[in-house]
Amino acid sequence: MDGAPELDEFESLVVDAIDRLPDEFQEVLARVAVVVSDLGSEARAYGQYFGDGVAREQYEDRIVIYRDTLERDFGHDRRLLAAQVERTLRHELAHHLGWDEGGVGGLGL
């Protein structure tokens, strides 16, 4: 055993979503913490990006994926949940890359 904590089913969906990103985006994400949280109802969101973007290094960058709201709205269908986790991750990664909410929406995210 390597001492790494075992992932639960939802965390595995997040890891799978990261693994499906093109290599160049995985490299970008290697420097960004991706955190699973159960505070999505409070935030009224599926995910959030915190930081100052890839172009600046003043603040620590973090992507939060909210398990509670995603499971509430998509948990009835594992494939649908996996697709929404991936979409949420890509949405927040786009914010890290400098896209505002309108621009991210224009990408279909």
Side-chain angles (χ1 to χ4, degrees):
M1 186 168 205
D2 63 9
E6 194 169 314
L7 299 177
D8 68 24
E9 190 173 334
F10 186 86
E11 292 166 334
S12 293
L13 292 176
V14 174
V15 170
D16 291 346
I18 293 169
D19 289 345
R20 282 191 295 275
L21 290 170
D23 290 343
E24 56 271 21
F25 292 117
Q26 286 185 36
E27 290 174 22
V28 169
L29 214 52
R31 295 181 295 279
V32 178
V34 178
V35 179
V36 173
S37 170
D38 288 314
L39 299 175
S41 292
E42 191 175 298
R44 298 178 189 215
Y46 296 137
Q48 278 186 296
Y49 168 71
F50 299 92
D52 56 2
V54 71
R56 298 189 232 12
E57 294 296 327
Q58 194 169 9
Y59 301 101
E60 184 177 343
D61 297 301
R62 180 171 39 121
I63 291 173
V64 179
I65 305 295
Y66 292 117
R67 175 194 342 246
D68 60 329
T69 48
L70 285 162
E71 285 186 339
R72 178 195 68 204
D73 294 347
F74 305 100
H76 62 280
D77 181 328
R78 182 167 167 75
R79 284 192 315 253
L80 186 60
L81 178 60
Q84 190 61 43
V85 166
E86 184 170 350
R87 182 177 186 193
T88 301
L89 175 73
R90 288 172 180 253
H91 179 105
E92 302 311 333
L93 177 57
H95 284 311
H96 174 63
L97 296 172
W99 295 86
D100 64 13
E101 201 62 43
V104 171
L107 295 172
L109 300 172

